[in-house]
Amino acid sequence: MKLIIVLGIKEIQGELNKVFKEMKIPIFSKVDIEGFKTEENVADMSNWFGNHKESDFSVMFFTFVHTKDADAILKDINKLNLSKNRIRPFHAFQMPVEKFV
C-alpha cells in the first residue's frame, strides 16, 4: 500500500479532483493549506508557493492506494503538469505504508 500526496495551488484544485475521479480512486481527502516563503530561503522555490505575496492558499490531496496504482497516479499528474506548462505545477510524491490498523 502507498500514500500518495499531491500539493497545488487552490485555483487549480478542480483539475486534480478530475484526475482522481477519472482514475476511479474511491476515496481521497483534501486539506486547505496556507503556504509561506521566507527571505532566508536560499533554494529556488519560486514554483512551490507564491513569490509575490506573503502567503498563498494551496491544497493537499491524499489517498491510500494499492502499490500497483501508485505509479499510474504519479504519471497522470506529471502528464497534467506537462500539458499545462504551469509556473506552479502540482507536486506529488508517494510514501510506503508499512503497517496500518
Side-chain angles (χ1 to χ4, degrees):
M1 180 173 282
K2 300 287 185 181
L3 167 62
I4 300 292
I5 298 174
V6 185
L7 301 164
I9 59 171
K10 195 169 186 100
E11 291 82 6
I12 57 175
Q13 69 180 332
E15 293 177 39
L16 187 59
N17 223 347
K18 184 178 174 184
V19 168
F20 277 22
K21 287 179 182 178
E22 286 174 356
M23 294 197 71
K24 295 182 177 33
I25 296 172
I27 299 171
F28 58 93
S29 300
K30 179 189 78 109
V31 178
D32 291 333
I33 299 172
E34 186 174 4
F36 294 91
K37 197 171 133 177
T38 65
E39 295 286 329
E40 297 87 27
N41 188 356
V42 293
D44 179 17
M45 295 187 62
S46 59
N47 68 342
W48 189 266
F49 292 115
N51 58 3
H52 60 285
K53 297 186 264 184
E54 183 177 312
S55 68
D56 268 339
F57 292 100
S58 301
V59 291
M60 177 179 73
F61 285 84
F62 64 95
T63 185
F64 294 92
V65 297
H66 293 287
T67 301
K68 63 180 176 63
D69 298 327
D71 286 340
I73 294 169
L74 293 180
K75 284 179 185 176
D76 281 358
I77 292 168
N78 190 45
K79 284 181 196 174
L80 179 62
N81 283 339
L82 292 173
S83 72
K84 300 293 183 171
N85 195 24
R86 292 193 175 91
I87 293 172
R88 295 187 286 175
F90 290 112
H91 297 277
F93 55 96
Q94 70 181 23
M95 298 174 61
V97 177
E98 296 178 19
K99 297 180 183 180
F100 60 92
V101 181

